[in-house]
Amino acid sequence: MKHVLKLLSLLVVISALWIGLLQASIIPQSHTWLLPIYFVVSLGCYGLLMVGVGLMRFPTCPQEALLLQQDIAEAKDFLKQKGVDVGSD
């Protein structure tokens, strides 16, 4: 619930800023109407950047990979004992 309130308050602040810029005529009218589009595009670019950074910093865990392979082998053996065809290795 806190996250929703944080997002709603951010939306209200951005809307108030945009309406304030429309009323004050600091920025030309033609540019002010494009601000929401710029905001959405910049938010998308930020999201892509965060995904890219997350992928670049994604940790590799060789020990966990070995444990996972052992778990898979144990599961295959268990299923073979129960008569389930698990395919070829």
Side-chain angles (χ1 to χ4, degrees):
M1 189 66 181
K2 289 181 182 180
H3 192 65
V4 171
L5 291 175
K6 193 185 304 184
L7 288 174
L8 284 175
S9 63
L10 181 65
L11 181 66
V12 167
V13 168
I14 290 172
S15 298
L17 181 67
W18 182 53
I19 291 171
L21 286 173
L22 281 173
Q23 297 297 324
S25 298
I26 296 172
I27 299 175
Q29 192 78 10
S30 61
H31 297 303
T32 309
W33 286 106
L34 294 175
L35 284 178
I37 296 171
Y38 293 151
F39 177 71
V40 169
V41 169
S42 62
L43 188 63
C45 291
Y46 174 75
L48 286 174
L49 177 71
M50 289 296 106
V51 168
V53 168
L55 286 174
M56 286 189 300
R57 300 179 71 197
F58 189 76
T60 57
C61 305
Q63 298 88 5
E64 296 298 324
L66 291 175
L67 289 175
L68 180 61
Q69 289 173 354
Q70 290 173 354
D71 288 344
I72 291 172
E74 288 176 13
K76 283 184 178 181
D77 291 339
F78 176 77
L79 290 173
K80 284 181 184 177
Q81 290 175 358
K82 298 292 181 182
V84 177
D85 183 23
V86 292
S88 62
D89 291 325

